[in-house]
Amino acid sequence: MNLKTILMAVMANVIVLSTTLVSSSIAHASGDHADEQEEHHEEEKGPNNGRLLTQGEFSLELVLFERGVAPEFRVYANFKHEQVAPQAVDLSIRLTRLGNVVDTISFSPQSDHLKGDAVIYEPHSFVVDVQARFKGKQYEWHFETFEGRTEISNAMALNMGVTTLRVGPQTLRQTLPVYGKLVLAPNSERHISARYPGEVKALNVQLGQSVKQGQHLLTIESNDSLQSYKVFAPISGMVSMQNIALGEQTGSANLLTISNSQTLIAELNVYPLDQDKIKPAAKVLIRPSNSTEQISTEITDALMAVNAQQAKVYRAKVSNVDGKLSVGQFIKADITVNTFTVDKAVKTSALQSFRDFTVAYEKVGEQYEVRMLTLGRKAGEWVEVLSGIKTGSEYVTGNSYLIKADIDKAGAAHDH
């Protein structure tokens, strides 16, 4: 068993233990005298399937109602097993969420229940403090109901490779994926021929050899004057074609070709439906085939005619000073078609599923909890966040699936 497997096993035991401890709902009630307190280790249910809070002959049924409306609390009161008019009860509830975020809820009487004045937003994970007054007597309950939450020590998270970032503004780039190939840049090739036809007396280069501008390439003896003259390299580059050998007659044919590949051109195929998206000088990120390297450049121009596949060919310069790229090499590229800044964004690596929601995991201290996100536009590794997590919140980006696995194993129930 390797170190990572051992760490994962230890982590699972720690998480199951910690989640078991924090997810046990402990309810207790207190009246005017401390000795009247009683604890409920198992949640009792009322006739409306809500949590039943009882002290003596007085009880409240706390229902999280969300059928056809945004989630809200509805409370039904009973005394001596008889329903109490909601006007007879003064009630308030305080919810303390992760990070000591407190929501205070006031209640108003309805036909047969008390209705809370605030939306109980997701996740429904909090410490609950209930205060009620009935017939001049004060009642209090305190219990915990957690979901989508787990606890991992910072040392364990570090060993697991869990990494985090802060939610904040981000500039997003929407891109168009395209394919193409690398070709020589214009004016980067020279063809060498004999000014005066004759016999090759000296040949100082060969196919594939690098040469510098002004370098002596060959010596030719003119057939007419029998005088010898030298031919020099007009540019620096590589001998990419050789069509002559020592002692041969030159005639009027091309003898050598020198090609300079320090700058190449990426020819990118853009099909008709996408051609209107391409803007002048658009940024391009090129990925050569069989390489993990990424090269940043921009569109310089486009060819006049479409190719055989009816694609318009857009061109971008690519530096090849190190000689790692080759003429004819296939490439993939992403052309930027839109750039915009959003107030909040998270990395797509942070996203996981929880019930019917897309979530990220906020980190507070050594605790992690789901945040239900409403998402907007996506661009590359980033996605806009419209709601669900606050700017500045620390959230999990790397190995977020491990947090999901721990929460799923804990199996915290959703309180309806």
Side-chain angles (χ1 to χ4, degrees):
M1 181 179 294
N2 58 34
L3 177 59
K4 184 176 180 180
T5 304
I6 294 172
L7 287 172
M8 290 295 292
V10 172
M11 179 206 70
N13 290 331
V14 171
I15 298 309
V16 170
L17 176 59
S18 64
T19 307
T20 301
L21 290 174
V22 298
S23 62
S24 300
S25 295
I26 303 173
H28 66 271
S30 60
D32 292 336
H33 304 285
D35 57 3
E36 292 182 1
Q37 292 183 348
E38 63 181 28
E39 294 185 350
H40 302 274
H41 294 282
E42 292 186 6
E43 179 184 334
E44 297 181 63
K45 293 288 186 179
N48 297 291
N49 201 36
R51 181 186 289 266
L52 193 61
L53 306 174
T54 302
Q55 181 193 337
E57 295 179 307
F58 181 68
S59 66
L60 297 177
E61 184 184 359
L62 179 61
V63 178
L64 181 57
F65 190 85
E66 49 189 332
R67 292 193 299 272
V69 297
E72 64 185 24
F73 276 142
R74 296 184 179 183
V75 178
Y76 300 82
N78 284 271
F79 185 69
K80 294 183 178 181
H81 305 293
E82 295 291 334
Q83 186 168 352
V84 172
Q87 294 86 352
V89 180
D90 290 327
L91 176 66
S92 67
I93 292 179
R94 186 176 69 177
L95 306 178
T96 304
R97 297 176 180 270
L98 186 63
N100 290 322
V101 177
V102 177
D103 300 330
T104 301
I105 303 163
S106 300
F107 288 81
S108 60
Q110 304 295 309
S111 58
D112 62 346
H113 64 273
L114 291 150
K115 178 182 176 182
D117 65 352
V119 173
I120 313 304
Y121 59 89
E122 297 276 8
H124 298 156
S125 179
F126 25 63
V127 176
V128 184
D129 290 286
V130 181
Q131 293 189 349
R133 190 167 187 83
F134 175 66
K135 289 188 174 182
K137 195 172 184 180
Q138 189 72 21
Y139 299 86
E140 295 182 2
W141 289 267
H142 172 91
F143 61 91
E144 299 168 338
T145 175
F146 296 147
E147 68 165 348
R149 183 187 295 191
T150 190
E151 184 170 350
I152 306 173
S153 71
N154 288 333
M156 180 65 73
L158 179 63
N159 289 330
M160 292 163 56
V162 173
T163 57
T164 62
L165 286 175
R166 296 278 180 181
V167 177
Q170 188 69 36
T171 299
L172 275 58
R173 295 172 54 251
Q174 291 180 326
T175 60
L176 175 69
V178 296
Y179 296 87
K181 66 178 181 178
L182 297 175
V183 300
L184 283 171
N187 303 316
S188 62
E189 201 169 56
R190 295 293 187 274
H191 302 291
I192 311 300
S193 59
R195 183 175 183 181
Y196 307 107
E199 180 182 340
V200 176
K201 291 295 185 178
L203 181 59
N204 301 326
V205 294
Q206 59 184 358
L207 184 65
Q209 181 177 333
S210 295
V211 298
K212 293 184 177 180
Q213 185 177 14
Q215 181 175 333
H216 179 202
L217 301 178
L218 66 161
T219 300
I220 302 172
E221 182 184 87
S222 171
N223 290 336
D224 293 334
S225 66
L226 300 180
Q227 297 294 313
S228 295
Y229 63 93
K230 296 179 179 179
V231 178
F232 300 95
I235 61 171
S236 298
M238 178 183 291
V239 179
S240 57
M241 188 277 288
Q242 179 182 347
N243 190 32
I244 195 67
L246 185 63
E248 290 186 341
Q249 287 289 320
T250 64
S252 59
N254 289 332
L255 307 179
L256 301 170
T257 297
I258 300 175
S259 302
N260 187 322
S261 62
Q262 289 192 340
T263 298
L264 297 177
I265 298 296
E267 291 191 341
L268 307 172
N269 300 320
V270 178
Y271 292 92
L273 290 178
D274 297 317
Q275 289 169 10
D276 289 342
K277 301 176 183 177
I278 309 301
K279 300 174 183 177
K283 300 296 183 183
V284 182
L285 192 63
I286 291 174
R287 300 183 302 279
S289 59
N290 303 321
S291 173
T292 58
E293 182 181 8
Q294 294 186 334
I295 304 168
S296 296
T297 182
E298 62 182 36
I299 297 295
T300 56
D301 53 32
L303 297 181
M304 183 183 301
V306 297
N307 62 18
Q309 291 76 41
Q310 295 300 296
K312 191 174 183 65
V313 179
Y314 288 83
R315 304 197 298 179
K317 292 181 180 179
V318 178
S319 176
N320 188 36
V321 175
D322 56 13
K324 292 182 178 179
L325 303 175
S326 301
V327 174
Q329 187 173 2
F330 290 115
I331 55 174
K332 298 177 183 178
D334 292 312
I335 303 176
T336 298
V337 295
N338 192 19
T339 302
F340 52 92
T341 299
V342 297
D343 293 333
K344 292 188 293 185
V346 298
K347 283 198 168 184
T348 55
S349 61
L351 303 180
Q352 297 292 341
S353 61
F354 181 81
R355 302 204 317 268
D356 296 329
F357 299 97
T358 298
V359 302
Y361 300 103
E362 183 175 355
K363 179 180 186 294
V364 178
E366 294 189 336
Q367 292 185 304
Y368 300 79
E369 190 173 80
V370 295
R371 293 292 176 261
M372 287 69 172
L373 304 180
T374 302
L375 301 177
R377 296 164 289 181
K378 181 181 177 182
E381 63 179 353
W382 294 95
V383 61
E384 180 183 15
V385 176
L386 302 177
S387 65
I389 193 168
K390 294 181 179 178
T391 299
S393 299
E394 186 177 5
Y395 71 101
V396 178
T397 55
N399 288 341
S400 62
Y401 70 94
L402 295 177
I403 308 300
K404 172 180 170 58
D406 295 333
I407 289 176
D408 287 348
K409 281 188 288 187
H414 181 53
D415 188 10
H416 289 275

